[in-house]
């Protein structure tokens, strides 16, 4: 009665097809990542579109490479990486008229806005997370506040940008005293008169806060209550136990969250484009217009052609490598620093 | 004294004197404690403040600009103030986001099933998990550049360049990691006993996954999908070089409107918000209002779904 029977072949076919199909769908993710790196890299090395990869295309790059030593043909239409090399990263001129491109200004703008934003957002976000995990307020109110901070993450960045543009004069009025009293510092050296780097950093703070708060709150919540009880039992005050016990125990999550936020800040586009002034002139002052790699792309890509497109893809490649490294670091830090509680 | 306050061991050196075991409000450690309490409260207030201010400002500025014509008319030409509408952008956002969901949900849920049910370990699954994390960190504007190079510039979609479909693909790339992650994590929460039970009574793997495991995990997956769609609907950067913009109604003749440049609410906010014309700026606020209300509603829906699953 209970003999071993094979399943009907139709059922096995359905099973196998389904398993294969999920594997194929899963590999779409990896293919996409590979495709993004390949495409951006290709456009940075060659001018012209992706279809010139096809051997039968009239402008095929293979023919160009085959005709490498042929004096008659022009060979390949090389793009920004062969043209500008690594000097692209240290050159601050961005001149579409002379077709001379260097990405130092946007790279500086990207790093500076992100660093400033992180410097403000980490204490604010971690402080908020502590406030939400301590018993200052009733549980219900804390959940509501936590939910409100998470909603802030859902507001589209273009809406924040529009709001920041409407608030421009208010921001400028707040910056002016810094210039008048501390104007001898190079970072406050120019008079704030319009969209500038400092405003872009402030808008980034608003965007980073929810990420840092949410991740820090989760990791603080995961610290076992015994640690806190132990600290209280030996006579520690609330803040002694927070600084010496709870934060060290949750540091992996907090640092990981900050790194995730940094990755987000580096690539944030719309709000920054609307409020940074999009100037490609290098300036030490935070109160002068500047640009980030992402804002440069959003601002110039639509009207660019030939080598400028390739230069923009080169800048995009730099941005991708930056965010990639930051995200990898975030994952490694979370794994390395994570304390294990069993 | 103040340095002692941070060190719990040092406090034992102080004899409690006459006060005994009562709380001394002037002890440095207690003063410091109260100061830090205040500071934390201040930080939390600062963190919540932008949400309240931005939401109220958008509701105030945008709510005033909402009229019935907004949904039925086209935007005015620059310099004119009639007609005041953005029906094309509302339809466009629905088309582009809907298309993105149609592409990303099957791929994302399928990929999540593979990671959680078929291959939990092994180098291939690990490399895909790594890919998901990398993709989640790719800046959204680069998704737009990728689809521009792949689809728009090569005119691979029936010879068309900028199109709603290209915009959908760019948003799908953006949504994909969220959906794979939530599916993966949602399926891992399903108790192992359910799978054992289904396989034990003779169900095949296909039936186990589609009829037993997936229904048990539907609400966390739905939560992730709703949040992913809401986030994608507000994204601008991937669309400015793919779906572009259009001041006209969708061109139904070209691929049911999918193969022509299409207006979306988010791109409209960007394009109109930086114009020097008052009617356009007002339409940008109205579009912000619609987007913010829609996204807040989606978040409440997602929260309700999560609550629904917990009970």
């Amino acid at each position: 009665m209970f003999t071993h029977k094979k399943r009907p072949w139709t059922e096995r076919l359905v099973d196998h097809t389904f398993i294969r199909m999920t594997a194929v769908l899963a590999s779409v993710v990896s293919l996409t990542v590979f495709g993004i790196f390949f495409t951006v890299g290709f456009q940075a090395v060659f001018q012209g579109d992706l279809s010139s990869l096809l051997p039968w295309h009239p402008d095929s790059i293979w023919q160009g490479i085959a005709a490498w030593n042929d004096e008659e043909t022009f060979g390949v239409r090389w793009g920004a990486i062969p043209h500008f090399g690594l000097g692209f990263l240290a050159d601050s001129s961005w001149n579409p008229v002379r077709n001379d491109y260097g990405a130092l200004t946007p790279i500086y703008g990207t790093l500076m806005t992100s660093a400033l934003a992180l410097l403000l957002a980490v204490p604010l976000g971690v402080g908020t997370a502590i406030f939400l995990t301590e018993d200052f307020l009733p549980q219900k109110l804390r959940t509501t506040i936590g939910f409100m901070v998470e909603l802030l993450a859902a507001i589209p960045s273009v809406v924040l940008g529009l709001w920041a543009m409407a608030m421009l004069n208010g921001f400028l009025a707040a910056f002016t005293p810094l210039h008048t009293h501390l104007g001898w510092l190079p970072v406050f050296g120019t008079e704030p008169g319009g969209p500038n780097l400092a405003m872009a950093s402030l808008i980034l703070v608003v965007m980073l806060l929810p990420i840092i708060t949410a991740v820090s709150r989760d990791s603080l919540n995961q610290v076992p209550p015994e640690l806190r009880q132990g600290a209280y039992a030996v006579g520690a005050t609330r803040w002694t136990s927070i600084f010496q016990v709870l934060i060290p125990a949750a540091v992996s999550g907090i640092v990981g969250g900050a790194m995730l936020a940094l990755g987000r800040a580096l690539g944030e586009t719309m709000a920054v484009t609307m409020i940074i002034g999009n100037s490609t002139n290098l300036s030490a002052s935070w109160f002068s217009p500047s640009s980030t790699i992402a804002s440069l792309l959003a601002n110039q890509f639509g009207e660019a052609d030939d080598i400028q497109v390739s230069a923009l893809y080169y800048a995009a490649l730099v941005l991708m490598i930056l965010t990639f490294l930051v995200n990898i670091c975030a994952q490694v830090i979370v794994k390395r620093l994570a304390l294990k509680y069993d | 004294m103040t340095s002692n306050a941070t060190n719990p061991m040092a406090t034992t050196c102080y004899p409690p004197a006459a006060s005994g075991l009562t709380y001394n409000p002037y002890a440095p450690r207690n003063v410091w404690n109260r100061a830090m309490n205040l500071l934390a409260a201040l930080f939390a207030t600062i963190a919540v403040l932008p949400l309240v201010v931005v939401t109220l400002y958008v509701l105030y500025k945008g709510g005033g600009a909402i009229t019935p014509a907004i949904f039925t008319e086209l935007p005015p030409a620059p310099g004119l103030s009639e007609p005041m509408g953005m029906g094309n952008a509302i339809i466009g956002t629905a088309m582009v986001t809907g298309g993105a969901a149609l592409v990303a949900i099957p791929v994302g849920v399928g990929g999540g099933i593979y990671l959680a049910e078929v291959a939990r370990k092994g180098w291939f699954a690990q490399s895909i998990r790594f890919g998901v994390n990398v993709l989640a960190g790719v800046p959204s504007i680069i998704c737009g550049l990728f689809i521009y190079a792949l689809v728009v510039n090569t005119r691979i979609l029936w010879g068309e360049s900028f199109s709603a479909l290209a915009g959908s693909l760019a948003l799908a790339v953006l949504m994909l990691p969220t959906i794979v992650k939530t599916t993966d994590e949602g399926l891992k929460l399903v108790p192992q006993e359910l799978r054992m039970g289904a396989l034990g009574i003779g169900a095949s793997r296909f039936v186990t996954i589609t009829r037993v495991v997936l229904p048990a995990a539907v609400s966390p997956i739905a939560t992730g999908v709703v949040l992913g769609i809401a986030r994608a609907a507000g994204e601008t950067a991937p669309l400015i070089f793919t779906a572009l913009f259009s001041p006209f109604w969708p061109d139904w003749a070209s691929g049911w409107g999918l193969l022509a440049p299409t207006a979306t609410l988010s791109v409209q906010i960007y394009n109109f918000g930086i114009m020097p014309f008052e009617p356009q700026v007002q339409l940008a606020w109205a579009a912000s209002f619609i987007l913010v209300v829609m996204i807040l509603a989606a978040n409440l829906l997602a929260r309700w779904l999560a609550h629904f699953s917990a009970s």
Side-chain angles (χ1 to χ4, degrees), chain A residues 78 123 125 276 338:
Chain A
W78 294 106
I276 200 168

Short mmCIF file of all heavy atoms in Angstrom, two decimals, chain A residues 78 123 125 276 338:
data_model
loop_
_atom_site.label_atom_id
_atom_site.label_comp_id
_atom_site.label_asym_id
_atom_site.label_seq_id
_atom_site.Cartn_x
_atom_site.Cartn_y
_atom_site.Cartn_z
N TRP A 78 37.39 57.78 -28.83
CA TRP A 78 37.60 57.58 -27.41
C TRP A 78 36.85 58.62 -26.58
O TRP A 78 36.65 59.74 -27.03
CB TRP A 78 39.10 57.65 -27.07
CG TRP A 78 39.89 56.53 -27.65
CD1 TRP A 78 40.75 56.59 -28.70
CD2 TRP A 78 39.89 55.17 -27.23
NE1 TRP A 78 41.28 55.37 -28.95
CE2 TRP A 78 40.76 54.47 -28.07
CE3 TRP A 78 39.22 54.46 -26.22
CZ2 TRP A 78 41.02 53.11 -27.94
CZ3 TRP A 78 39.46 53.12 -26.08
CH2 TRP A 78 40.35 52.45 -26.93
N PRO A 123 24.81 63.38 15.45
CA PRO A 123 24.40 63.66 16.83
C PRO A 123 22.88 63.82 16.97
O PRO A 123 22.29 63.28 17.90
CB PRO A 123 25.10 64.98 17.16
CG PRO A 123 26.09 65.20 16.10
CD PRO A 123 25.74 64.39 14.92
N GLY A 125 20.48 62.56 15.05
CA GLY A 125 19.78 61.29 14.85
C GLY A 125 19.97 60.34 16.01
O GLY A 125 19.01 59.73 16.49
N ILE A 276 21.76 74.17 -4.62
CA ILE A 276 23.21 74.36 -4.45
C ILE A 276 23.77 75.42 -5.40
O ILE A 276 24.90 75.87 -5.25
CB ILE A 276 23.95 73.02 -4.61
CG1 ILE A 276 25.34 73.08 -3.96
CG2 ILE A 276 24.06 72.61 -6.06
CD1 ILE A 276 26.01 71.76 -3.82
N ALA A 338 29.59 44.02 15.32
CA ALA A 338 28.39 43.50 15.96
C ALA A 338 28.75 42.62 17.15
O ALA A 338 29.53 41.68 17.02
CB ALA A 338 27.56 42.72 14.94
#
